[in-house]
Amino acid sequence: MVKEENFAADGADEEMLGAGTADEKLTERRDEVKFIKGDQQNGDAKIDIGNLNGKPAFTGMSKEELMKYANDPFWVRLRWIFFVSFWVIWVGMLVGAIMIIIGAPKCAAPEPLPWYKRGLHAKFGSVADAKPQDLQAAQKLFASGAIYELPAAQTYDVKKADVEAQIKQLVDFYKSSDVKVVLDLTPNYVNNNSQLFIDALANADSRAAFVWVDAGSELPNNWKKVGGNSSAWIKQDNSYVLSQFEEGHYDLKMNSTLVRKEFGDVLRHLLGLGVHGFRLKNTKFYLVNDNLADEEISHTTTQLNMVDYGFYTHTQTTFQNGLGDVLYDYLGMVKNVSADAFLSVAEDIIRPEAYVLSQSGGALGIDLPMYGEFVRTLSSSKTNKKLQQQLQQTLMDTGNTSWLQWNFGDVYVDTTSHPSALALFMSLLPGVPVVPVDSIEYVNVKEETYSQIQQMRLSPSYMHGELNIFEANQLIAYSRIKSGSPGYFVIFNPTDSPQLSNFTAVNNLPEKMTVSYFSENFNEGNATNILYSSKVDLNELKVSPHSTIVFTYVPVKSE
């Protein structure tokens, strides 16, 4: 028998059924259970238990009930408030968006290059030899500047009537054109008839403009005249005055307050006469070591004796610390008169680091430096140097941001490359070609070539584009590209034989490019003539010997 177990009441059943008894709870629940017939084939049925929560289900108002309130003043007013508010907010947002667009700062278009960076410069002779026909020569190059040399003896005489008249006449020759006059000046020495030297003889305080030494009977040191073998010192009474250049001419200390004032007046006066730019000569000599120490013997010299200028290193008389700051001071004087003017050098600076400003992070103290042997190397018929490396080094030495002067006077007259090929290749590099009108780069290059060069130099890709340099199959090439503008791709063949172009392996270079222009010798001896504006496959292109070709292209987007 199963034994019956008696459980003590613990209240659990009351808790499950609530406060009342089970019968009371069940009687309160009147949920209706409905059996709904389902699928006849399988005998399914649905059970609708009704509302399990015991609360009546919510039902919305019917349409008829709602329409009773459609014309109620309260609801009509509320609807109008929402309607008007919506459109007011929407119109406000629209007006706000328009004002934001109008008031937002516009992306400034890149400014065009200043005139002295934009076009080529034509190089002529002395100011005294200038003639009206020079304008036609400058216009053949589509030049933006015409460079003339003012004789050294006239540098500090520009206010004299005869010298001033010459300069005014020169400026008048170019008034009808966009060509600006640029002068080469030699400000670092004067003759014994100059007012500066006369004042120094009369007043000891004025001698601060010169390297003037009270040395008794002995020479201050072993310094030599530039390019000569005699002493660089001239005895003046009981003193010696430095004279490194011509006989009867005395060196100036270009950082002297007296010289700064005098030469500053010269620059300002010339700007007032209509001159727009200056190139200074002998800049490496502008400062000397104040200690006046002897020059040391050069260990690289050959076939010279100790009385020759080339026997010494010249570390005391050239490229002194502070040279860049001195030049920048004169550049500031020029810019204060005309922001459109420039001040540069007329010779290779040789050591760019000496021209760096002391507190600038590497910037040079001049506009348009002239530096390097690249033009000579490019035009040489016997070169074994890597052109790509030399070009990159040249640009790197000058800070990669400098706009260099490319001196076309350095092109060898016996070059095996066609002058138009060199002109094309050099003119699209960052910088300004300086073209002497008696050089082969002027005489042997057609006006049409310089016209095309000028058009390409005015493009955004040239003026503001990035430079990338390439080398392949003995060819040297570079690209100029700016986002949003077609780029230029320039190829030069320095060899004696046709070379297959093979640059497409480089990223962002398409296989096919459009021919923009090429040197005058490009189709000579070529089996297939290249036509302007034609599409060319770079993998199949053979570049003619000693020629240049320029393409336009759109970069390939990297994935």
Side-chain angles (χ1 to χ4, degrees):
M1 294 179 64
V2 178
K3 185 178 180 180
E4 293 184 359
E5 296 184 7
N6 294 322
F7 294 95
D10 58 1
D13 53 346
E14 287 85 350
E15 290 182 7
M16 293 179 63
L17 294 175
T21 65
D23 291 339
E24 291 174 347
K25 291 294 180 182
L26 290 174
T27 56
E28 290 177 3
R29 300 287 299 271
R30 300 300 181 194
D31 296 335
E32 184 178 1
V33 179
K34 296 180 181 179
F35 292 89
I36 303 172
K37 188 175 182 180
D39 194 341
Q40 294 181 357
Q41 293 181 356
N42 53 25
D44 290 342
K46 295 181 180 178
I47 301 175
D48 185 0
I49 302 177
N51 189 352
L52 296 177
N53 295 324
K55 296 179 181 179
F58 172 80
T59 57
M61 297 174 71
S62 66
K63 180 179 179 182
E64 290 76 10
E65 290 173 324
L66 285 173
M67 291 304 295
K68 293 178 183 179
Y69 300 96
N71 296 320
D72 184 275
F74 172 77
W75 293 108
V76 171
R77 186 167 55 253
L78 187 61
R79 286 198 303 270
W80 274 109
I81 290 173
F82 285 143
F83 178 80
V84 172
S85 299
F86 168 79
W87 285 108
V88 168
I89 293 172
W90 190 91
V91 172
M93 289 190 298
L94 179 63
V95 172
I98 294 173
M99 295 303 295
I100 290 173
I101 293 172
I102 294 174
K106 295 178 175 62
C107 295
E111 293 185 6
L113 294 173
W115 67 268
Y116 54 86
K117 292 183 177 181
R118 201 159 51 235
L120 285 68
H121 291 193
K123 177 73 170 68
F124 296 91
S126 172
V127 170
D129 299 328
K131 50 189 182 296
Q133 292 79 8
D134 291 350
L135 175 59
Q136 297 175 359
Q139 288 177 331
K140 173 189 172 179
L141 299 171
F142 297 85
S144 61
I147 303 172
Y148 291 84
E149 183 171 354
L150 186 69
Q154 296 179 351
T155 301
Y156 292 93
D157 292 340
V158 294
K159 294 182 181 180
K160 291 185 177 179
D162 56 337
V163 179
E164 186 177 280
Q166 278 187 343
I167 296 170
K168 284 183 175 180
Q169 183 184 50
L170 171 61
V171 172
D172 286 341
F173 289 158
Y174 293 93
K175 269 193 173 178
S176 62
S177 71
D178 293 330
V179 182
K180 314 289 188 185
V181 173
V182 180
L183 291 183
D184 284 354
L185 303 177
T186 310
N188 65 308
Y189 59 84
V190 294
N191 59 34
N192 51 16
N193 295 321
S194 75
Q195 191 60 47
L196 278 170
F197 191 73
I198 293 172
D199 291 345
L201 290 175
N203 184 356
D205 292 338
S206 298
R207 296 175 184 177
F210 300 87
V211 184
W212 199 297
V213 182
D214 294 327
S217 58
E218 293 186 2
L219 292 171
N221 51 42
N222 64 350
W223 296 358
K224 301 293 182 182
K225 276 192 176 295
V226 175
N229 53 26
S230 59
S231 174
W233 296 96
I234 294 180
K235 191 170 180 59
Q236 185 68 41
D237 298 331
N238 293 323
S239 305
Y240 283 95
V241 185
L242 185 63
S243 172
Q244 295 187 87
F245 297 91
E246 302 175 32
E247 270 314 313
H249 290 74
Y250 301 91
D251 289 31
L252 294 173
K253 295 170 67 175
M254 296 302 295
N255 60 341
S256 160
T257 302
L258 295 172
V259 176
R260 183 181 180 277
K261 179 182 181 304
E262 193 73 17
F263 187 50
D265 288 344
V266 169
L267 294 173
R268 286 185 282 268
H269 187 69
L270 290 173
L271 289 167
L273 295 179
V275 178
H276 281 78
F278 306 98
R279 302 195 317 162
L280 305 183
K281 303 183 74 173
N282 300 330
T283 54
K284 67 180 181 180
F285 297 100
Y286 281 13
L287 299 176
V288 298
N289 190 336
D290 292 334
N291 294 331
L292 304 182
D294 281 348
E295 294 284 11
E296 296 181 0
I297 297 173
S298 172
H299 298 291
T300 60
T301 185
T302 58
Q303 299 178 352
L304 296 171
N305 56 57
M306 62 185 307
V307 298
D308 292 324
Y309 182 80
F311 189 74
Y312 300 97
T313 58
H314 312 296
T315 56
Q316 309 301 318
T317 53
T318 59
F319 302 115
Q320 298 300 298
N321 291 334
L323 177 57
D325 295 331
V326 171
L327 291 168
Y328 188 71
D329 185 32
Y330 291 115
L331 174 62
M333 295 180 189
V334 170
K335 296 292 187 183
N336 286 339
V337 177
S338 173
D340 201 33
F342 78 95
L343 183 138
S344 184
V345 294
E347 300 151 336
D348 191 331
I349 60 176
I350 303 173
R351 290 176 53 189
E353 67 277 8
Y355 290 76
V356 172
L357 297 174
S358 59
Q359 298 178 347
S360 71
L364 302 181
I366 53 174
D367 295 316
L368 305 178
M370 184 187 298
Y371 172 71
E373 298 287 323
F374 184 71
V375 175
R376 289 190 182 93
T377 304
L378 192 73
S379 65
S380 175
S381 56
K382 298 177 181 178
T383 180
N384 55 3
K385 294 183 179 180
K386 284 281 200 179
L387 293 174
Q388 178 194 23
Q389 294 177 3
Q390 187 175 18
L391 177 56
Q392 288 174 328
Q393 189 66 46
T394 299
L395 298 174
M396 187 174 66
D397 287 348
T398 52
N400 281 326
T401 56
S402 296
W403 210 255
L404 296 176
Q405 293 182 66
W406 301 113
N407 184 15
F408 281 16
D410 287 343
V411 174
Y412 290 107
V413 293
D414 61 347
T415 179
T416 53
S417 295
H418 196 280
S420 66
L422 298 173
L424 266 177
F425 187 83
M426 295 300 306
S427 296
L428 295 181
L429 287 169
V432 177
V434 176
V435 188
V437 295
D438 57 354
S439 68
I440 63 170
E441 288 299 311
Y442 178 86
V443 176
N444 295 344
V445 179
K446 296 178 181 177
E447 183 175 344
E448 179 189 356
T449 298
Y450 282 115
S451 173
Q452 290 293 327
I453 287 173
Q454 176 66 359
Q455 290 180 31
M456 290 186 284
R457 286 178 66 89
L458 293 176
S459 68
S461 285
Y462 175 76
M463 291 193 292
H464 306 288
E466 179 184 352
L467 172 72
N468 292 294
I469 305 171
F470 312 108
E471 192 173 48
N473 291 349
Q474 301 184 67
L475 300 175
I476 180 172
Y478 61 87
S479 64
R480 302 301 305 275
I481 185 69
K482 182 183 183 300
S483 177
S485 300
Y488 289 112
F489 191 67
V490 187
I491 307 175
F492 174 66
N493 180 6
T495 71
D496 296 327
S497 58
Q499 298 293 334
L500 186 65
S501 171
N502 185 24
F503 294 98
T504 55
V506 181
N507 292 333
N508 296 332
L509 289 180
E511 291 185 0
K512 289 188 176 182
M513 297 186 184
T514 303
V515 176
S516 178
Y517 203 72
F518 44 78
S519 57
E520 298 163 21
N521 67 325
F522 191 86
N523 281 328
E524 294 176 5
N526 235 341
T528 304
N529 280 358
I530 299 296
L531 302 176
Y532 298 131
S533 302
S534 61
K535 283 272 190 181
V536 174
D537 190 330
L538 260 64
N539 292 322
E540 300 175 359
L541 173 69
K542 282 194 173 183
V543 183
S544 303
H546 304 292
S547 67
T548 296
I549 186 167
V550 182
F551 296 97
T552 57
Y553 75 102
V554 176
V556 176
K557 292 184 179 180
S558 56
E559 309 223 341

